[in-house]
Structures are given as C-alpha cells and as structure tokens.
Amino acid sequence: MKLLIINGPNLNLLGTREPDTYGKESFEDYFSKLQFKFRETELSYYQSNIEGELIDRLQQADKEFDGVILNAAAYTHTSIGIGDAVKAISIPVVEVHISNTFSRESFRHTSYISANAKGIIIGFGLPVYDLAIQSFINK
C-alpha cells in the first residue's frame, strides 16, 4: 500500500510553533517514526504553504497512491479549491487535524474538505496520522 501525507501551511514549523497546541516534535522526526512503525506501507510526505501546490499534489496523487492523509491546516476552513480537488480525485482522503478544531476559534469549525473525505480524525496530537494510516490498513 502506498499512502501520501500532505500537510498545509505552517505545519513545516511543527516543534517550534505553538508547542502547547501542536507539541514539540518536528513532523520530519515524527514521520521517521511512522515509516519505522508501518514498514509494510510505503509512506511519502509533502508539505507546502501554497494552496495551488497542495491542489496540484492532490491531483498527482490520484495516479500514484492508494490514499491520502490530508492536513490542509488553515486552508481547511477557507479553500473551496482544495475541497473540490478532494472531491475530484478517485482515491480516498482522510482529513486530519492535530488540535481539536472544535475547541478553538469558531472559524475553525468549518471544513471544505470533510464532506468528501473518507473520514476525519482530530484532536489527538500527532497520533492522528498514525490513526489515519491504520484506517487504510484496516479497511
């Protein structure tokens, strides 16, 4: 199985950005742990702060991967384009969020992705990625 993790804006700052909300571990370090834990699954990772690049990567993933784990970060709440890209591709997408978006500002309670996602995992810290991978393996 081949899975792609796509992270959106500011997630390149994990480990240093708001550690009380997002933790102190960089995503690169956590990704290495995921690769070790899920050795039977081919995991790839992509991050961009640019909306159009995230849309391009979702579209490309359709031909390369069995599924996508998407943390669109702030674009979750603003990007109809990313939501449309999720709807347009044929592979399943699991939406993840490190923090509980429903315990934060009200604008974070809306997602343009959720309606077309296979599922949503929020609020458990970095282990949301682990849970999303398991959702593909245990389908």
Side-chain angles (χ1 to χ4, degrees):
M1 179 173 297
K2 291 176 62 173
L3 299 175
L4 173 63
I5 296 171
I6 298 178
N7 278 343
N10 299 312
L11 292 173
N12 56 308
L13 300 176
L14 286 175
T16 59
R17 175 186 174 224
E18 299 178 62
D20 289 343
T21 301
Y22 299 107
K24 296 179 180 170
E25 186 171 19
S26 73
F27 192 79
E28 289 74 14
D29 289 344
Y30 186 70
F31 184 67
S32 294
K33 292 177 184 177
L34 290 174
Q35 288 178 305
F36 181 77
K37 180 175 182 176
F38 297 102
R39 291 184 293 275
E40 302 298 317
T41 303
E42 185 178 327
L43 297 174
S44 296
Y45 168 58
Y46 178 79
Q47 189 278 329
S48 178
N49 294 318
I50 301 169
E51 182 179 17
E53 290 179 0
L54 296 169
I55 292 169
D56 287 344
R57 192 64 189 111
L58 280 165
Q59 292 172 355
Q60 293 163 359
D62 201 21
K63 297 177 180 84
E64 297 176 45
F65 295 92
D66 300 305
V68 171
I69 297 161
L70 174 62
N71 185 342
Y75 286 137
T76 301
H77 322 295
T78 63
S79 178
I80 295 168
I82 291 175
D84 285 349
V86 169
K87 184 177 182 178
I89 62 176
S90 63
I91 58 174
V93 174
V94 173
E95 177 183 355
V96 299
H97 297 283
I98 297 166
S99 67
N100 180 352
T101 57
F102 292 98
S103 69
R104 300 181 65 195
E105 304 92 341
S106 61
F107 73 86
R108 296 186 195 275
H109 301 178
T110 299
S111 169
Y112 287 101
I113 297 163
S114 298
N116 296 298
K118 170 187 173 189
I120 307 157
I121 305 169
I122 65 169
F124 297 103
L126 288 174
V128 297
Y129 296 93
D130 184 312
L131 294 168
I133 293 167
Q134 289 181 51
S135 78
F136 283 103
I137 293 171
N138 299 326
K139 59 180 173 175

